[in-house]
mmCIF file of all heavy atoms in Angstrom:
data_model
loop_
_atom_site.group_PDB
_atom_site.id
_atom_site.type_symbol
_atom_site.label_atom_id
_atom_site.label_comp_id
_atom_site.label_asym_id
_atom_site.label_seq_id
_atom_site.Cartn_x
_atom_site.Cartn_y
_atom_site.Cartn_z
ATOM 1 N N ARG V 156 -35.986 24.675 18.524
ATOM 2 C CA ARG V 156 -37.335 24.184 18.721
ATOM 3 C C ARG V 156 -38.003 23.888 17.376
ATOM 4 O O ARG V 156 -37.905 24.663 16.440
ATOM 5 C CB ARG V 156 -38.153 25.220 19.475
ATOM 6 C CG ARG V 156 -39.590 24.796 19.729
ATOM 7 C CD ARG V 156 -40.377 25.917 20.360
ATOM 8 N NE ARG V 156 -41.771 25.555 20.530
ATOM 9 C CZ ARG V 156 -42.737 26.432 20.742
ATOM 10 N NH1 ARG V 156 -42.469 27.706 20.801
ATOM 11 N NH2 ARG V 156 -43.981 26.038 20.879
ATOM 12 N N ILE V 157 -38.691 22.734 17.310
ATOM 13 C CA ILE V 157 -39.511 22.410 16.157
ATOM 14 C C ILE V 157 -40.920 22.902 16.453
ATOM 15 O O ILE V 157 -41.570 22.419 17.371
ATOM 16 C CB ILE V 157 -39.539 20.897 15.895
ATOM 17 C CG1 ILE V 157 -38.125 20.377 15.684
ATOM 18 C CG2 ILE V 157 -40.401 20.586 14.674
ATOM 19 C CD1 ILE V 157 -38.046 18.872 15.652
ATOM 20 N N GLN V 158 -41.375 23.851 15.674
ATOM 21 C CA GLN V 158 -42.716 24.393 15.856
ATOM 22 C C GLN V 158 -43.575 23.849 14.717
ATOM 23 O O GLN V 158 -43.514 24.343 13.592
ATOM 24 C CB GLN V 158 -42.685 25.921 15.845
ATOM 25 C CG GLN V 158 -44.006 26.575 16.212
ATOM 26 C CD GLN V 158 -43.876 28.082 16.221
ATOM 27 O OE1 GLN V 158 -43.735 28.714 15.173
ATOM 28 N NE2 GLN V 158 -43.910 28.686 17.390
ATOM 29 N N ASP V 159 -44.329 22.789 14.998
ATOM 30 C CA ASP V 159 -45.038 22.123 13.901
ATOM 31 C C ASP V 159 -46.485 22.579 13.752
ATOM 32 O O ASP V 159 -47.242 21.993 12.987
ATOM 33 C CB ASP V 159 -44.969 20.603 14.062
ATOM 34 C CG ASP V 159 -45.890 20.087 15.156
ATOM 35 O OD1 ASP V 159 -46.312 20.891 16.002
ATOM 36 O OD2 ASP V 159 -46.163 18.882 15.142
ATOM 37 N N ASN V 160 -46.880 23.655 14.459
ATOM 38 C CA ASN V 160 -48.245 24.159 14.361
ATOM 39 C C ASN V 160 -49.250 23.033 14.571
ATOM 40 O O ASN V 160 -50.194 22.856 13.792
ATOM 41 C CB ASN V 160 -48.475 24.831 13.000
ATOM 42 C CG ASN V 160 -47.818 26.192 12.914
ATOM 43 O OD1 ASN V 160 -47.863 26.982 13.852
ATOM 44 N ND2 ASN V 160 -47.179 26.475 11.791
ATOM 45 N N ALA V 161 -49.012 22.238 15.617
ATOM 46 C CA ALA V 161 -49.829 21.051 15.860
ATOM 47 C C ALA V 161 -51.298 21.399 16.100
ATOM 48 O O ALA V 161 -52.190 20.648 15.709
ATOM 49 C CB ALA V 161 -49.273 20.277 17.058
ATOM 50 N N GLU V 162 -51.558 22.540 16.725
ATOM 51 C CA GLU V 162 -52.947 22.938 16.967
ATOM 52 C C GLU V 162 -53.663 23.169 15.640
ATOM 53 O O GLU V 162 -54.806 22.729 15.448
ATOM 54 C CB GLU V 162 -52.980 24.198 17.839
ATOM 55 C CG GLU V 162 -54.342 24.501 18.461
ATOM 56 C CD GLU V 162 -55.276 25.301 17.549
ATOM 57 O OE1 GLU V 162 -54.784 25.862 16.535
ATOM 58 O OE2 GLU V 162 -56.488 25.372 17.836
ATOM 59 N N GLN V 163 -52.976 23.832 14.711
ATOM 60 C CA GLN V 163 -53.570 24.073 13.401
ATOM 61 C C GLN V 163 -53.754 22.760 12.646
ATOM 62 O O GLN V 163 -54.762 22.568 11.947
ATOM 63 C CB GLN V 163 -52.682 25.027 12.590
ATOM 64 C CG GLN V 163 -53.181 25.335 11.188
ATOM 65 C CD GLN V 163 -54.516 26.068 11.160
ATOM 66 O OE1 GLN V 163 -54.955 26.604 12.181
ATOM 67 N NE2 GLN V 163 -55.158 26.099 10.001
ATOM 68 N N GLY V 164 -52.800 21.846 12.784
ATOM 69 C CA GLY V 164 -52.928 20.554 12.129
ATOM 70 C C GLY V 164 -54.123 19.774 12.644
ATOM 71 O O GLY V 164 -54.871 19.160 11.867
ATOM 72 N N GLY V 165 -54.315 19.786 13.970
ATOM 73 C CA GLY V 165 -55.479 19.124 14.549
ATOM 74 C C GLY V 165 -56.776 19.751 14.089
ATOM 75 O O GLY V 165 -57.770 19.055 13.829
ATOM 76 N N TYR V 166 -56.758 21.071 13.965
ATOM 77 C CA TYR V 166 -57.945 21.794 13.480
ATOM 78 C C TYR V 166 -58.262 21.393 12.042
ATOM 79 O O TYR V 166 -59.424 21.126 11.697
ATOM 80 C CB TYR V 166 -57.686 23.295 13.582
ATOM 81 C CG TYR V 166 -58.801 24.153 13.007
ATOM 82 C CD1 TYR V 166 -59.933 24.449 13.773
ATOM 83 C CD2 TYR V 166 -58.723 24.658 11.714
ATOM 84 C CE1 TYR V 166 -60.958 25.234 13.257
ATOM 85 C CE2 TYR V 166 -59.734 25.439 11.184
ATOM 86 C CZ TYR V 166 -60.860 25.720 11.953
ATOM 87 O OH TYR V 166 -61.859 26.484 11.435
ATOM 88 N N LEU V 167 -57.230 21.337 11.177
ATOM 89 C CA LEU V 167 -57.440 20.972 9.773
ATOM 90 C C LEU V 167 -58.029 19.570 9.653
ATOM 91 O O LEU V 167 -58.922 19.328 8.830
ATOM 92 C CB LEU V 167 -56.118 21.034 9.012
ATOM 93 C CG LEU V 167 -55.528 22.415 8.730
ATOM 94 C CD1 LEU V 167 -54.158 22.271 8.063
ATOM 95 C CD2 LEU V 167 -56.460 23.235 7.839
ATOM 96 N N ALA V 168 -57.529 18.653 10.472
ATOM 97 C CA ALA V 168 -58.005 17.272 10.412
ATOM 98 C C ALA V 168 -59.479 17.184 10.803
ATOM 99 O O ALA V 168 -60.298 16.570 10.093
ATOM 100 C CB ALA V 168 -57.157 16.393 11.322
ATOM 101 N N ALA V 169 -59.828 17.766 11.948
ATOM 102 C CA ALA V 169 -61.210 17.703 12.417
ATOM 103 C C ALA V 169 -62.155 18.454 11.492
ATOM 104 O O ALA V 169 -63.268 17.983 11.193
ATOM 105 C CB ALA V 169 -61.295 18.266 13.837
ATOM 106 N N LYS V 170 -61.703 19.614 11.002
ATOM 107 C CA LYS V 170 -62.566 20.410 10.113
ATOM 108 C C LYS V 170 -62.855 19.664 8.813
ATOM 109 O O LYS V 170 -63.948 19.763 8.254
ATOM 110 C CB LYS V 170 -61.922 21.757 9.815
ATOM 111 C CG LYS V 170 -62.850 22.724 9.067
ATOM 112 C CD LYS V 170 -62.250 24.093 8.928
ATOM 113 C CE LYS V 170 -63.262 25.075 8.350
ATOM 114 N NZ LYS V 170 -63.842 24.626 7.066
ATOM 115 N N HIS V 171 -61.859 18.912 8.323
ATOM 116 C CA HIS V 171 -62.089 18.148 7.096
ATOM 117 C C HIS V 171 -63.197 17.114 7.314
ATOM 118 O O HIS V 171 -64.074 16.942 6.452
ATOM 119 C CB HIS V 171 -60.797 17.436 6.671
ATOM 120 C CG HIS V 171 -60.966 16.573 5.460
ATOM 121 N ND1 HIS V 171 -61.215 17.091 4.202
ATOM 122 C CD2 HIS V 171 -60.943 15.217 5.313
ATOM 123 C CE1 HIS V 171 -61.326 16.098 3.329
ATOM 124 N NE2 HIS V 171 -61.168 14.956 3.982
ATOM 125 N N LEU V 172 -63.165 16.441 8.459
ATOM 126 C CA LEU V 172 -64.210 15.461 8.757
ATOM 127 C C LEU V 172 -65.577 16.139 8.876
ATOM 128 O O LEU V 172 -66.584 15.625 8.387
ATOM 129 C CB LEU V 172 -63.870 14.721 10.051
ATOM 130 C CG LEU V 172 -62.603 13.852 10.017
ATOM 131 C CD1 LEU V 172 -62.306 13.296 11.404
ATOM 132 C CD2 LEU V 172 -62.739 12.722 8.998
ATOM 133 N N ILE V 173 -65.590 17.302 9.510
ATOM 134 C CA ILE V 173 -66.838 18.059 9.664
ATOM 135 C C ILE V 173 -67.362 18.505 8.307
ATOM 136 O O ILE V 173 -68.553 18.399 8.004
ATOM 137 C CB ILE V 173 -66.620 19.262 10.602
ATOM 138 C CG1 ILE V 173 -66.325 18.772 12.023
ATOM 139 C CG2 ILE V 173 -67.840 20.181 10.597
ATOM 140 C CD1 ILE V 173 -65.784 19.848 12.950
ATOM 141 N N ASP V 174 -66.455 19.024 7.466
ATOM 142 C CA ASP V 174 -66.856 19.475 6.128
ATOM 143 C C ASP V 174 -67.411 18.334 5.284
ATOM 144 O O ASP V 174 -68.198 18.562 4.345
ATOM 145 C CB ASP V 174 -65.671 20.109 5.403
ATOM 146 C CG ASP V 174 -65.265 21.454 5.994
ATOM 147 O OD1 ASP V 174 -66.073 22.026 6.757
ATOM 148 O OD2 ASP V 174 -64.147 21.916 5.706
ATOM 149 N N LYS V 175 -66.993 17.113 5.581
ATOM 150 C CA LYS V 175 -67.507 15.940 4.865
ATOM 151 C C LYS V 175 -68.826 15.426 5.466
ATOM 152 O O LYS V 175 -69.318 14.371 5.073
ATOM 153 C CB LYS V 175 -66.466 14.821 4.878
ATOM 154 C CG LYS V 175 -65.230 15.116 4.047
ATOM 155 C CD LYS V 175 -65.567 15.282 2.564
ATOM 156 C CE LYS V 175 -64.325 15.517 1.720
ATOM 157 N NZ LYS V 175 -64.658 15.679 0.283
ATOM 158 N N GLY V 176 -69.372 16.173 6.415
ATOM 159 C CA GLY V 176 -70.681 15.855 6.951
ATOM 160 C C GLY V 176 -70.688 15.032 8.223
ATOM 161 O O GLY V 176 -71.755 14.639 8.710
ATOM 162 N N HIS V 177 -69.522 14.765 8.798
ATOM 163 C CA HIS V 177 -69.461 13.956 10.017
ATOM 164 C C HIS V 177 -69.726 14.830 11.251
ATOM 165 O O HIS V 177 -69.200 15.948 11.353
ATOM 166 C CB HIS V 177 -68.094 13.276 10.137
ATOM 167 C CG HIS V 177 -67.868 12.240 9.077
ATOM 168 N ND1 HIS V 177 -68.279 10.939 9.202
ATOM 169 C CD2 HIS V 177 -67.289 12.349 7.841
ATOM 170 C CE1 HIS V 177 -67.955 10.265 8.106
ATOM 171 N NE2 HIS V 177 -67.363 11.096 7.261
ATOM 172 N N LYS V 178 -70.500 14.299 12.168
ATOM 173 C CA LYS V 178 -70.810 15.006 13.411
ATOM 174 C C LYS V 178 -70.317 14.228 14.634
ATOM 175 O O LYS V 178 -69.993 14.819 15.659
ATOM 176 C CB LYS V 178 -72.319 15.245 13.529
ATOM 177 C CG LYS V 178 -72.906 16.062 12.374
ATOM 178 C CD LYS V 178 -74.385 16.292 12.568
ATOM 179 C CE LYS V 178 -75.011 16.987 11.366
ATOM 180 N NZ LYS V 178 -74.370 18.268 11.017
ATOM 181 N N ALA V 179 -70.295 12.898 14.528
ATOM 182 C CA ALA V 179 -69.819 12.045 15.618
ATOM 183 C C ALA V 179 -68.358 11.685 15.323
ATOM 184 O O ALA V 179 -68.078 10.770 14.548
ATOM 185 C CB ALA V 179 -70.673 10.787 15.716
#
Side-chain angles (χ1 to χ4, degrees):
R156 180 185 176 197
I157 302 170
Q158 188 178 70
D159 75 342
N160 285 318
E162 195 274 346
Q163 179 64 15
Y166 175 83
L167 288 175
K170 189 173 187 305
H171 177 68
L172 295 174
I173 293 167
D174 290 344
K175 291 297 183 180
H177 293 274
K178 301 182 185 304

